[in-house]
Amino acid sequence: MNVFLTIVNIVVLLLLAGGLYYLQRKKVSFSKRVFAALAAGIVFGLILQFVYEPASKVLSNSADWYSIMGGGYVKFLQMAVMPLVFVSILSAFTKLKLSNNVGKISGSVIGILLGTTAIAAAIGIAAALSFHLEAVQITKGAPELARATELQTTFDQIKDKTLPQQVLDLFPGNPFLDFTGARPTSTIAIVIFAAFVGIAYLGVKRKQADQAALFASIVEAVHAIVMRVVTLILRLTPYGVLALMTKTVALSDLDAIAKLGKFVIASYVALALMFIIHLLFITFSGLSPVTYIRKAIPVLSFAFTSRTSAGALPLNISTQKSLGVPEGIANFAGSFGLTIGQNGCAGIYPAMLAVMIAPSAGIDPLTPSFILSLIVIVVISSFGIAGVGGGATFAALLVLSSMNLPVALAGLLISVEPLIDMGRTALNVSGAMTAGILTSKARKELDTEVYNAPVNELKAEA
């Protein structure tokens, strides 16, 4: 019977996917299909929650099969991340888009990412205080205790690393290893490596033009192939979103979410406020926030459902380009945004946790010195945070340990972690895109005609 019901659930998901394919054949816009997939996934996931028990074998088996569609799509995107970052930055150098002021461009992107992270931390602090969140309010069950033990073990592995050692981890000691994504900081290491190769190309171009021209043609050919691979993957976005959202909703512990509802609400209030800050920055730069929202919806929807900033990178870069951001700056902003200054995972989340846990350690979170120290530590700790699931936990460990707060208490939120992480990831991606837009606008390199043009389908139909 279990096998039959599992097959029925799989068939229903395939029928929903067939409906999305029908919408594609009817030329329904990419954004609308992504939203349709998002809504269908939520509804179907809730139906599965209602029909089956949370610990149901049928539900577990069905979700496992759904991972082929959802998790497979994420894997394909992750597959393209390193080649895309490397060859796109090199291509920008060969086109002389970054021949001048590379340091100023990267400095501007990083500065905006860190600045918005400081603002995010302040918003997280305000949200935790406004909702009167405290760790002692949360019940410690078996899952929470197990998570606390896991976090303490993770902390024991990193506690001896000094800040200079953490900065050193950003450098590409072995770029071939970093191409495999073996380290949390692999993406930023590849960015640095690509920049070195690009600068070397510019030097060769001045002295050996023929060799430089050959290299440039090879880079452009590889770039065209990689972008075509990304295009093929982007076509799968609605189907990936459908499966990912269905699985997430179906497996969510609704009872635990209800018990921790105040923390979930406070988190999303903080995330929403920070997103509004992004829109205000865009507005103050003379651009339409409505246009930004319309064009950013597909990538933010994917980031929300997949919970991976790294997997969203191809869509992130494509979206920035559809907003008039030059390719080189888009790659810098998207790539740096994976590991530096994540507004959600490295800004709001650890700040809220620190405020919640402080009273249990005998610290008054309203003390100005505590608040100021927390914001500074959050910004510093935001370097090198992985753009995949777990980055927020790593950031929280760094911040809590630096503030001399018990790290194990961060495990109390394990029941609602996936739900909150969805919003955090979407905010991370929005922060990276905002940094690219503001940097381009400040340097007068933003193509406003492209920005104001009708919504681009991200070449997903090409």
Side-chain angles (χ1 to χ4, degrees):
M1 187 65 178
N2 285 351
V3 174
F4 173 75
L5 291 175
T6 300
I7 293 175
V8 170
N9 293 339
I10 294 172
V11 169
V12 173
L13 184 74
L14 292 177
L15 289 174
L16 291 173
L20 293 175
Y21 180 72
Y22 174 78
L23 294 178
Q24 179 180 341
R25 294 296 299 269
K26 288 295 184 179
K27 305 299 182 182
V28 175
S29 72
F30 184 73
S31 299
K32 290 180 180 178
R33 283 187 284 119
V34 170
F35 261 107
L38 191 65
I42 292 173
V43 173
F44 186 36
L46 289 174
I47 291 174
L48 292 175
Q49 276 262 6
F50 178 77
V51 173
Y52 301 102
E53 294 293 327
S56 167
K57 189 68 175 177
V58 174
L59 190 58
S60 175
N61 289 341
S62 300
D64 202 25
W65 281 99
Y66 293 168
S67 295
I68 295 178
M69 182 185 297
Y73 175 55
V74 174
K75 290 285 188 181
F76 283 141
L77 280 167
Q78 292 174 333
M79 170 189 74
V81 167
M82 294 304 181
L84 176 64
V85 170
F86 182 72
V87 77
S88 293
I89 291 179
L90 269 187
S91 177
F93 273 100
T94 59
K95 294 175 181 176
L96 299 181
K97 290 182 179 179
L98 295 177
S99 59
N100 297 312
N101 301 319
V102 176
K104 291 182 179 179
I105 291 173
S106 57
S108 176
V109 169
I110 294 173
I112 292 172
L113 288 171
L114 296 180
T116 52
T117 299
I119 296 173
I123 290 176
I125 293 170
L129 292 173
S130 299
F131 281 82
H132 305 290
L133 300 178
E134 292 187 17
V136 294
Q137 301 169 348
I138 303 174
T139 304
K140 299 179 183 179
E144 286 76 19
L145 293 175
R147 178 61 170 169
T149 302
E150 179 186 340
L151 291 178
Q152 188 63 52
T153 301
T154 302
F155 171 67
D156 290 339
Q157 297 172 352
I158 65 173
K159 65 180 181 180
D160 294 328
K161 276 198 173 185
T162 63
L163 180 59
Q165 289 173 330
Q166 294 174 32
V167 172
L168 190 61
D169 283 343
L170 303 178
F171 299 153
N174 183 349
F176 299 102
L177 175 65
D178 287 320
F179 269 113
T180 68
R183 303 187 301 141
T185 56
S186 285
T187 304
I188 194 170
I190 290 301
V191 171
I192 295 172
F193 178 61
F196 266 97
V197 176
I199 293 171
Y201 159 80
L202 295 177
V204 171
K205 184 178 180 181
R206 286 193 296 268
K207 298 180 180 179
Q208 297 169 291
D210 292 342
Q211 286 84 343
L214 176 61
F215 179 80
S217 64
I218 294 173
V219 169
E220 290 310 300
V222 175
H223 180 260
I225 296 298
V226 170
M227 289 308 297
R228 185 60 185 174
V229 170
V230 171
T231 296
L232 295 175
I233 296 172
L234 293 184
R235 291 180 177 178
L236 304 175
T237 299
Y239 310 102
V241 167
L242 169 66
L244 288 166
M245 183 52 72
T246 299
K247 179 180 177 181
T248 299
V249 174
L251 297 181
S252 294
D253 188 340
L254 297 184
D255 291 335
I257 292 173
K259 292 177 182 177
L260 293 172
K262 187 162 73 167
F263 180 80
V264 174
I265 293 172
S267 297
Y268 272 91
V269 167
L271 293 170
L273 287 175
M274 192 60 215
F275 183 67
I276 291 173
I277 295 294
H278 291 168
L279 298 181
L280 287 175
F281 279 134
I282 290 172
T283 302
F284 292 152
S285 67
L287 300 170
S288 168
V290 176
T291 299
Y292 171 77
I293 293 174
R294 292 178 60 201
K295 293 190 176 183
I297 279 176
V299 62
L300 296 182
S301 299
F302 171 75
F304 184 83
T305 52
S306 68
R307 297 168 52 201
T308 164
S309 302
L313 182 60
L315 273 171
N316 182 333
I317 293 173
S318 295
T319 302
Q320 287 190 64
K321 290 166 65 177
S322 76
L323 289 165
V325 178
E327 187 174 6
I329 294 178
N331 276 279
F332 266 102
S335 302
F336 280 129
L338 296 183
T339 50
I340 295 176
Q342 293 187 348
N343 291 181
C345 290
I348 289 175
Y349 183 66
M352 290 185 70
L353 276 182
V355 171
M356 288 175 60
I357 295 172
S360 64
I363 299 173
D364 182 4
L366 289 171
T367 305
S369 59
F370 173 84
I371 294 175
L372 181 59
S373 298
L374 178 56
I375 292 175
V376 172
I377 289 174
V378 164
V379 172
I380 295 175
S381 299
S382 70
F383 278 89
I385 302 302
V388 294
T393 300
F394 185 69
L397 291 178
L398 293 176
V399 171
L400 294 178
S401 62
S402 299
M403 299 293 293
N404 295 316
L405 298 173
V407 298
L409 290 178
L412 295 176
L413 302 171
I414 184 175
S415 299
V416 295
E417 181 70 16
L419 178 62
I420 299 170
D421 195 39
M422 295 164 73
R424 291 192 312 237
T425 306
L427 186 67
N428 294 342
V429 173
S430 177
M433 292 193 297
T434 300
I437 293 170
L438 296 181
T439 297
S440 302
K441 183 67 174 178
R443 297 193 57 78
K444 299 181 180 179
E445 294 186 38
L446 185 77
D447 190 331
T448 53
E449 290 187 7
V450 173
Y451 184 95
N452 294 316
V455 176
N456 193 316
E457 287 297 293
L458 301 179
K459 300 183 180 179
E461 313 299 336

